[in-house]
Amino acid sequence: MDVNAAVAAAAAIGGACTGVIAMLAFRWSERDQKKPTRTSLRPDSNAALPPGVDTVLSVLSSSAVVLDESDSVVKASSAAYALGLVRGGRLAVDAMLNMARDTRRDGEIRQVELDLPRRGTGRGEALAVSARVAPLGSRLVLLLVEDLTEARRIEAVRRDFVANVSHELKTPVGALSLLSEAVLDASDDPEAVERFAGRMQIEATRLTNLVQEMIDLSRVQNDDPLEDAEPVRVDELVAEAIDRCRQQAGSKQITMAAGGTAELRIWGNRGQLAAALGNLVENAVNYSPARTRVGIAARRVSVPGGDQIEIAVTDQGIGISEKDRERVFERFYRVDPARSRATGGTGLGLAIVKHVAASHGGEVTVWSSEGQGSTFTLRLPEAGPARERDRSSGGPLVADGDEGPYGPAHPDTLEPIPAPEVLP
């Protein structure tokens, strides 16, 4: 009897404990469900938002954040998380948080531009944003943030371009003004008049070239080259570039040489491609010493996505220092400003080459060694299906085993093209 009573008492105690544990578990489950989670802070939660607000915020291009009366984030767009505005369910930018509190207090709309540190860069780069805060109902505050970084960069580039253009135009115009005064003062000296008139022609030519290259740069930036695209023979582009620079090369006794794989074609705008290659060859001639060689060679290279055509222009000139190589494609940048003015350079030629290559789906690169020369390589997609390469006649453009991407900076292995006779 005593044993049965003990068993019954133990069973009753066990049942009571089980009931207590079940009740506690139920209470804990209810409490956890009421806690805010990170998922509820994401844009897919529209709790406590007025009707239609969630739909409106989803179509805005701005980064959107909705705060409640306790400064907790009720809703935030994915862009707001990407910019680092929201972290752990709270607004992470103190200036914006203070604006939201002021707007909640007096109901006034506020707007301010801020520079925020970029997340994860550690290089002090600023993120330019425009923040606008407005009340949303009686309890909520809406924060809209626009990223102005790219607009600021474009504006800075535009200002620099205008400043550079003004400076470059002022130089030949000022020279023409001074030379015209000199001509008037020397009206009784025929030799001086002839000398000053020659200088005026040089400055006028320089001004004309600058204006023309500005027009060309604007055209390649705004026009779509694929609208008038066609298969363009590389050997025709090379021949045209050589003819363009034949007179300058002849005056310096520079031998121009062509080589590489024949019968190559590029898909693109013929005029823009001819201008780009012509600029590279013209630079090579202008920056090469007298009695040297300039080589132009083309070949087909296999890359993921299809074959490409490489056109390399190699000179034996002064070369480019390492610190200048990254900037040579910038507009109006000159490695040697004094030498560029002597040769009539405007600082826009390589910028045009870069834009033409990019708009045709290619690129332009440079290899250089000071005192040895430079090699500019224009790489563009090939027109039509890739042909099987003839290994027996293909291969490297110049001899193997030397520095640089195409061997030495001395294009002595290419077929020379005679320059015109230079008159004494």
Side-chain angles (χ1 to χ4, degrees), residues 229-296:
E230 59 178 333
V232 181
R233 290 173 57 96
V234 175
D235 53 0
E236 293 179 358
L237 294 178
V238 173
E240 186 174 339
I242 291 174
D243 287 339
R244 168 179 168 177
C245 305
R246 192 180 296 273
Q247 188 62 40
Q248 298 98 304
S251 64
K252 298 172 66 175
Q253 299 181 9
I254 292 177
T255 302
M256 291 187 289
T261 307
E263 299 297 328
L264 298 178
R265 286 178 172 82
I266 299 173
W267 182 261
N269 183 291
R270 179 183 178 83
Q272 293 189 13
L273 293 173
L277 184 58
N279 286 345
L280 291 180
V281 176
E282 186 175 12
N283 275 1
V285 171
N286 287 337
Y287 287 92
S288 292
R291 293 179 294 278
T292 56
R293 295 166 66 93
V294 170
I296 308 101

Side-chain angles (χ1 to χ4, degrees), residues 168 202 206 248 252 254 282-292 294 315-320 333-347 373-374:
E168 294 297 331
I202 294 175
R206 179 183 172 192
Q248 298 98 304
K252 298 172 66 175
I254 292 177
E282 186 175 12
N283 275 1
V285 171
N286 287 337
Y287 287 92
S288 292
R291 293 179 294 278
T292 56
V294 170
D315 62 62
Q316 298 172 319
I318 59 177
I320 305 172
Y333 184 79
R334 296 184 178 97
V335 175
D336 185 353
R339 186 180 181 90
S340 296
R341 288 187 173 89
T343 59
T346 63
S374 304

Side-chain angles (χ1 to χ4, degrees), residues 170-236:
K170 182 179 179 180
T171 301
V173 169
L176 287 172
S177 178
L178 292 175
L179 289 169
S180 63
E181 293 179 4
V183 169
L184 291 176
D185 294 338
S187 57
D188 56 348
D189 186 351
E191 293 184 0
V193 170
E194 184 178 357
R195 184 171 66 254
F196 292 142
R199 288 296 307 168
M200 291 177 68
Q201 287 182 337
I202 294 175
E203 294 298 335
T205 301
R206 179 183 172 192
L207 183 60
T208 302
N209 292 338
L210 175 60
V211 173
Q212 183 59 51
E213 289 201 349
M214 288 171 55
I215 295 173
D216 293 341
L217 180 61
S218 176
R219 182 179 294 115
V220 300
Q221 286 181 316
N222 296 327
D223 294 348
D224 183 4
L226 299 183
E227 289 183 357
D228 301 321
E230 59 178 333
V232 181
R233 290 173 57 96
V234 175
D235 53 0
E236 293 179 358

